[in-house]
Amino acid sequence: MNQDFWNTKNGTISYFPDGSLNIAYEVLDKHLNAPNRNKTALIFEPENGDTVLYTFLDLIKLSNKIANILTNLGVVKGDRVFLFLPRIPELYASFLGIVKTGAIAGTMFSAFGESALKDRFENSEAKIVLTTKELSARIEQVKNRLPKLEHILVVDEENFKQQLEQASEQFSIVHMNSEDYAFMLYTSGTTGKPKGIVHAHGGIIQQKESAKLVLDLKDDDVYWCTADPGWVTGIVYSILANWSLGITTIVYGGRFDAQIWYQILAKNKVSVWYTAPTAIRMLMAKGDDLVKQHDLSHVRFLASVGEPLNPEAIIWAQKVFGKPFHDTWWQTETGSIMIANSPTLEIKPGSMGKPLPWMNANVFNQEGSQAQVDEEGDLVLHPPWPSIMRTVWNNQEKYDSYFKNGWYITGDRAKKDKDGYFWFVGRADDVIKTSGERVGPFEVETALIDFPGVVEAGVIGKPDSLRGEIIKAFVVIKPEVKPSEELKEQLKEHVKKYLAGHAYPREIEFIDKLPKTRSGKIMRRILRAKEMGQDIGDTSTLEEY
Ligand code: WT7
């Protein structure tokens, strides 16, 4: 790592006099007696109803109240406290309230179903969860199997509101070291249950610097990052980096709707907008006229993350907004943007851009040495860096598996061109990216097998012009079960309820047998090739096909 460089940036972070820190202080409380005290921090646009504004002072008070409630319930440094909330102001204030107590804040996307919740609570041994009346029903289904979960706090219940009312607005933030854990979130790989990726307080230095450099955030910006804090972008770039820079930030509580999105951009005079390719393609599909109905003249900088940004989207943005989207690449594990089209870099549409100045990225060939110019290989990064994950919760083996010969292996395939631009090629593993959301095939397969009558299932990502990929399932059912459209619908509903609303297979095909290795592993590569009408490649390890 470029330690000397980061040492020069230490002055940008508000450390306590004893040299410790807490990201909640850096993000909120340092503004208490400073010029941003009464500046709008959060503009909340609910799905229905009126806009609500929170100043930095409002968020400081609200997060202090939450920190007090948690501390009174016995939360101490290192405990896990989770959020299972929709995008409401309480989510944002609670995240920082948890961090103030020294506990590790965990987020769970509001579309998660019973089994996804159970896996996450079980693995993290979370003590407390904050949720809403509506979402708490799903936790109720599994809570008997979660002995470590002591309290379910329902933020829209009268009882909790009263507690908030009575709680003190003062809280003494727990001092942490740079390496102490601050937050965690679960993400999927090819196999096994989701992994708890844990980030440390010290990551803030890079999160902040990357937002300044790549998103070009300036004091008077109105900034909208459309990501949900159930995913890492929503934590790092709509809670941490933005507020540590004192930036007014929009949160929209509702679902995607082109008309509403343009209204939010126009009404709030949004100047910096960070979103995702699927949303951009959905906007494109609604046509140019809709854009023209809104005054988007304040939009100054556009950026995108999460999945490949196709050149058409960049060209379209140039046409309708008069400026391009800047693609950025990173992962839950990296903790901040690693490769990007920074404002000063000339964009090559279709490229992810270049590594940030403090990152050393490379492409390795099969032999583990540097690939040729334009040669496809494994995308690797040189560790450590301040925002890299510190551990995989309770899974040292998994953590270790990310590192090889002193490099961090991203799991992505990429190319580097003669000018040093990086081009995304695909995943090296079976991880699916649908609408920018990372889904593990194993979890979907497990959900399908849970349905009566299903023998086994193989799940792949199938290229889709709107969503990047959609989830496709090949399902083997018992001989006595009849394949039908109705059964497909039932399976979809089951996965939504069991696993998550966003992780269900949009396409299902019943087949007699799954291609497997001799050791019995499903060969998703073969399913993918078959789906794409491609040569199925080397099948020598196949049991039978
Ligand atoms: C995976 C990480 C932290 C950002 C949100 C996603 C894919 C991410 C790009 C991009 C092509 C991208 C990669 C990566 N990905 N950004 N600009 N172009 N692919 O975080 O859910 O941990 O997913 O998303 O495959 O490994 P994540």
Side-chain angles (χ1 to χ4, degrees):
M1 171 175 51
N2 197 342
Q3 187 57 53
D4 291 343
F5 170 80
W6 292 114
N7 287 343
T8 69
K9 294 291 170 188
N10 268 335
T12 65
I13 300 298
S14 304
Y15 290 95
F16 297 119
D18 62 3
S20 64
L21 82 168
N22 186 310
I23 55 173
Y25 183 85
E26 168 59 30
V27 166
L28 287 184
D29 289 53
K30 73 165 184 209
H31 300 300
L32 181 61
N33 295 310
N36 288 332
R37 175 186 173 93
N38 295 314
K39 181 177 177 178
T40 301
L42 171 62
I43 301 177
F44 176 56
E45 295 281 4
E47 183 152 36
N48 301 300
D50 298 330
T51 310
V52 192
L53 303 183
Y54 288 76
T55 63
F56 280 97
L57 179 61
D58 293 333
L59 286 182
I60 290 168
K61 288 181 184 167
L62 185 54
S63 59
N64 280 349
K65 282 171 171 280
I66 292 163
N68 278 312
I69 291 176
L70 295 174
T71 302
N72 288 338
L73 289 173
V75 167
V76 293
K77 180 176 168 178
D79 282 346
R80 277 76 59 212
V81 177
F82 269 72
L83 299 161
F84 183 44
L85 289 169
R87 287 184 304 280
I88 53 175
E90 288 80 356
L91 168 57
Y92 297 78
S94 304
F95 184 94
L96 293 163
I98 295 167
V99 172
K100 283 182 173 185
T101 69
I104 304 170
T107 61
M108 291 188 295
F109 186 44
S110 55
F112 282 144
E114 296 158 20
S115 147
L117 295 171
K118 188 183 127 268
D119 284 348
R120 285 160 175 79
F121 281 126
E122 228 165 37
N123 180 265
S124 64
E125 301 191 320
K127 215 173 185 176
I128 296 183
V129 59
L130 288 96
T131 187
T132 58
K133 284 185 217 165
E134 192 189 338
L135 294 178
S136 68
R138 285 180 234 162
I139 304 174
E140 292 295 330
Q141 298 290 322
V142 289
K143 85 165 186 218
N144 291 343
R145 283 174 279 163
L146 301 169
K148 302 281 168 148
L149 184 61
E150 294 173 16
H151 302 279
I152 301 173
L153 305 180
V154 182
V155 302
D156 50 353
E157 253 176 13
E158 221 30 65
N159 178 26
F160 184 82
K161 287 187 192 165
Q162 267 176 23
Q163 279 187 58
L164 257 192
E165 188 75 28
Q166 286 155 11
S168 163
E169 285 176 357
Q170 310 289 327
F171 183 79
S172 174
I173 295 183
V174 175
H175 290 203
M176 308 295 280
N177 291 315
S178 296
E179 293 306 302
D180 285 336
Y181 302 153
F183 66 93
M184 68 189 289
L185 69 177
Y186 282 80
T187 192
S188 301
T190 297
T191 55
K193 296 201 169 182
K195 324 279 184 279
I197 305 296
V198 184
H199 286 286
H201 285 260
I204 190 71
I205 195 166
Q206 188 173 8
Q207 289 154 350
K208 188 177 183 181
E209 211 58 37
S210 60
K212 240 195 300 187
L213 177 78
V214 181
L215 303 176
D216 201 32
L217 291 172
K218 305 265 176 11
D219 283 348
D220 53 0
D221 274 317
V222 177
Y223 165 68
W224 186 21
C225 166
T226 59
D228 188 286
W231 312 119
V232 74
T233 311
I235 294 177
V236 173
Y237 295 105
S238 79
I239 301 179
L240 302 180
N242 49 314
W243 284 334
S244 73
L245 291 167
I247 304 294
T248 299
T249 302
I250 308 269
V251 169
Y252 168 51
R255 285 166 167 267
F256 175 86
D257 179 294
Q259 173 83 18
I260 296 176
W261 274 36
Y262 290 133
Q263 280 167 3
I264 289 173
L265 289 168
K267 184 182 128 196
N268 296 292
K269 300 187 166 62
V270 170
S271 53
V272 178
W273 184 26
Y274 195 20
T275 189
T278 293
I280 300 166
R281 288 188 292 262
M282 286 178 171
L283 293 173
M284 270 172 88
K286 293 287 176 191
D288 301 2
D289 285 346
L290 194 58
V291 188
K292 290 185 195 127
Q293 290 164 21
H294 300 87
D295 175 8
L296 303 180
S297 57
H298 289 86
V299 177
R300 172 174 79 71
F301 190 79
L302 312 173
S304 163
V305 68
E307 40 169 337
L309 178 66
N310 38 322
E312 298 77 24
I314 297 176
I315 294 160
W316 175 75
Q318 190 73 56
K319 182 175 73 175
V320 299
F321 304 119
K323 39 205 71 95
F325 275 101
H326 296 76
D327 193 13
T328 68
W329 179 95
W330 58 297
Q331 306 177 297
T332 305
E333 294 88 337
T334 69
S336 66
I337 299 169
M338 301 278 111
I339 300 176
N341 290 274
S342 305
T344 53
L345 189 70
E346 196 187 322
I347 294 179
K348 292 193 188 185
S351 157
M352 309 190 284
K354 292 188 182 184
L356 301 201
W358 45 78
M359 286 309 304
N360 178 359
N362 216 329
V363 177
F364 281 177
N365 60 23
Q366 261 180 344
E367 289 76 48
S369 49
Q370 189 169 326
Q372 306 286 316
V373 165
D374 292 333
E375 186 193 351
E376 179 189 326
D378 291 315
L379 177 62
V380 298
L381 302 163
H382 202 273
W385 57 89
S387 72
I388 193 173
M389 64 171 166
R390 296 308 198 273
T391 190
V392 176
W393 192 257
N394 266 338
N395 198 342
Q396 182 68 30
E397 199 185 325
K398 179 67 198 169
Y399 176 77
D400 292 341
S401 73
Y402 280 95
F403 302 93
K404 216 168 124 190
N405 300 329
W407 287 81
Y408 166 84
I409 316 297
T410 65
D412 280 1
R413 305 276 294 166
K415 295 178 190 176
K416 185 171 147 182
D417 73 13
K418 63 176 191 338
D419 302 319
Y421 284 73
F422 282 70
W423 299 74
F424 178 81
V425 175
R427 289 287 306 186
D429 55 20
D430 293 334
V431 166
I432 301 166
K433 267 287 169 139
T434 180
S435 301
E437 286 158 353
R438 185 161 155 185
V439 175
F442 178 76
E443 291 167 75
V444 184
E445 288 160 4
T446 308
L448 287 163
I449 296 166
D450 182 69
F451 194 80
V454 173
V455 180
E456 52 184 2
V459 167
I460 60 162
K462 174 179 173 175
D464 181 80
S465 58
L466 188 63
R467 294 191 162 80
E469 288 183 324
I470 56 160
I471 301 172
K472 163 135 195 185
F474 295 87
V475 177
V476 180
I477 48 178
K478 288 185 183 152
E480 64 271 25
V481 180
K482 263 212 163 82
S484 67
E485 288 307 310
E486 195 194 339
L487 179 57
K488 286 184 189 174
E489 286 314 307
Q490 287 171 347
L491 287 171
K492 289 179 189 178
E493 284 313 307
H494 177 71
V495 179
K496 281 186 198 171
K497 184 166 180 292
Y498 181 97
L499 182 61
H502 66 282
Y504 74 95
R506 284 176 189 267
E507 259 183 46
I508 295 177
E509 187 176 326
F510 296 112
I511 59 169
D512 296 338
K513 205 168 192 238
L514 292 174
K516 286 191 191 159
T517 61
R518 285 185 201 287
S519 59
K521 259 175 40 191
I522 298 167
M523 293 190 83
R524 303 194 187 91
R525 174 172 70 83
I526 304 280
L527 292 173
R528 244 182 338 254
K530 202 167 90 92
E531 182 64 35
M532 306 297 292
Q534 291 162 353
D535 180 14
I536 56 173
D538 177 17
T539 58
S540 55
T541 48
L542 281 185
E543 171 193 85
E544 182 190 329
Y545 189 67

